[in-house]
Amino acid sequence: MELRQLRHFLSVARLGNLHRAAEELHLTQQALSASLSRLEQDLGAKLFVRGRHGAELSPFGHKLLPRALTIVGEARVARAELDGLADATHGHLRAGVGAFFAHHVFPEALLQFVVDFPRVDVTVIEAPSSELYDALLRGEIDFAISTPASGVVVPPQFESEQLFETRDAIFMRAGHPLAARAGVTLADLGEFPWIVSARFGDSRQRLETAFRGQGLEPPARVMRTDSVPLMGHVLQNSDSVALLGSNPFSDLPLPALGELRDFDVPELAGRYRGVLAWRRSALLPAAEALMRRLRDTIRARLDHAAA
């Protein structure tokens, strides 16, 4: 079993098609098929069920998949570590960033980083926490900074650090019919359209459970999105309300959202966390430097907000 064979296996598993995988790997389809056949011979098991519509993983293929991801990911990390140790001012840093941090803190820290490491290539991937942790497992990114949903846990093979914790709240435009009140209840909010997160899969369920728990019918209209510009446009041009995590950096509002009024509603209380996660193996100096800048920037912003 060779590393390149595992890479070939992963490409076919992801694309589900030998022709497309061969194009991605810059191989002929015959060469790719021969490589997979040798891997199957070495393992003594069929890894794919081939048919007219592509190649699907067999039960043996499903068993091999997580192991192959780990092996190929560790090989990629080892290569990057050796390159980084040879010259800490060169190389390629790959960061995974959640939607919140793509707008807050990360851009500021990144601009500081590229001044000190001008010859380090940087790749930034924006995705939900669960996808970032998968990419971290595969060795495709060096660290992830995100706001994981309550049901998403950092895998035990990673180191992690909680950067902040704040609360969920109800948000609406400053001119909303309820905005001038001292407080609002679920009964007040039921007639309005709602916006909840699409990446926090339990948001809609939380909403329905909270309303039914008070003997109320859940809102009839609920939009699920994590697009900040879309959310801001809808909130500012309608009477919609949104269940969102409170921004811990009060001095850094999101211009795309516009001026908002927020309310605490106990039935919808929840944790909103910022989490930094990285592999247990040694980090490249460049990755350590960017993570350090992120921590310093967050600490400074939180201190300023508390002042």
Side-chain angles (χ1 to χ4, degrees), residues 195-224:
I195 302 173
V196 298
S197 172
R199 63 193 169 96
F200 289 3
D202 65 342
S203 296
R204 178 68 183 265
Q205 183 61 44
R206 284 177 57 200
L207 201 62
E208 293 183 355
T209 300
F211 272 85
R212 295 193 190 283
Q214 295 296 309
L216 303 168
E217 280 297 312
R221 289 177 291 168
V222 180
M223 176 189 297
R224 297 179 63 187

Side-chain angles (χ1 to χ4, degrees), residues 4-305:
R4 64 183 177 84
Q5 293 173 331
L6 292 178
R7 292 194 179 102
H8 297 168
F9 164 76
L10 290 175
S11 183
V12 176
R14 177 167 50 83
L15 297 173
N17 184 281
L18 263 71
H19 178 70
R20 292 202 301 270
E23 288 183 339
E24 179 181 77
L25 295 165
H26 304 292
L27 296 172
T28 66
Q29 189 168 333
Q30 292 80 0
L32 176 57
S33 182
S35 174
L36 293 175
S37 294
R38 287 193 295 271
L39 178 59
E40 289 176 330
Q41 289 171 8
D42 289 343
L43 296 175
K46 282 288 184 183
L47 300 176
F48 293 99
V49 178
R50 298 177 178 87
R52 293 179 58 188
H53 302 292
E56 297 182 358
L57 286 171
S58 71
F60 295 100
H62 280 291
K63 285 289 186 181
L64 178 62
L65 183 61
R67 299 293 186 184
L69 287 169
T70 300
I71 292 169
V72 172
E74 287 296 333
R76 187 181 291 114
V77 171
R79 178 72 268 172
E81 287 177 353
L82 292 175
D83 291 343
L85 291 173
D87 187 348
T89 64
H90 290 69
H92 187 183
L93 184 152
R94 299 154 302 176
V97 184
F100 176 83
F101 285 105
H103 293 275
H104 278 313
V105 179
F106 186 84
E108 180 181 352
L110 181 62
L111 288 175
Q112 297 171 4
F113 170 83
V114 297
V115 171
D116 294 335
F117 292 82
R119 287 189 269 185
V120 173
D121 290 335
V122 179
T123 296
V124 179
I125 298 171
E126 181 180 344
S129 299
S130 57
E131 294 181 19
L132 294 178
Y133 295 156
D134 288 343
L136 195 57
L137 180 63
R138 295 191 298 266
E140 296 173 356
I141 57 177
D142 297 305
F143 66 84
I145 183 168
S146 62
T147 53
S150 57
V152 176
V153 298
V154 180
Q157 56 266 52
F158 302 150
E159 299 283 355
S160 66
E161 175 183 346
Q162 182 167 299
L163 303 167
F164 64 77
E165 180 176 327
T166 182
R167 74 194 197 288
D168 290 333
I170 307 304
F171 291 81
M172 62 189 67
R173 63 184 172 89
H176 192 280
L178 301 179
R181 298 191 180 187
V184 296
T185 66
L186 288 181
D188 299 325
L189 298 164
E191 65 181 278
F192 298 103
W194 280 70
I195 302 173
V196 298
S197 172
R199 63 193 169 96
F200 289 3
D202 65 342
S203 296
R204 178 68 183 265
Q205 183 61 44
R206 284 177 57 200
L207 201 62
E208 293 183 355
T209 300
F211 272 85
R212 295 193 190 283
Q214 295 296 309
L216 303 168
E217 280 297 312
R221 289 177 291 168
V222 180
M223 176 189 297
R224 297 179 63 187
T225 183
D226 291 299
S227 168
V228 175
L230 175 60
M231 199 179 298
H233 183 81
V234 173
L235 285 173
Q236 294 299 333
N237 292 279
S238 73
D239 289 338
S240 297
V241 298
L243 173 62
L244 302 172
S246 295
N247 181 3
F249 312 118
S250 56
D251 60 331
L252 286 176
L254 286 177
L257 286 178
E259 184 181 357
L260 296 177
R261 175 82 162 88
D262 66 288
F263 293 93
D264 287 323
V265 176
E267 293 85 357
L268 289 170
R271 298 170 64 206
Y272 188 70
R273 303 168 296 144
V275 177
L276 183 64
W278 63 97
R279 299 171 68 93
R280 292 187 185 277
S281 54
L283 277 170
L284 300 179
E288 289 183 332
L290 180 51
M291 287 169 58
R292 184 165 57 251
R293 280 161 177 75
L294 283 166
R295 292 186 183 98
D296 291 345
T297 303
I298 290 170
R299 191 177 301 113
R301 290 297 182 183
L302 290 175
D303 289 345
H304 188 274

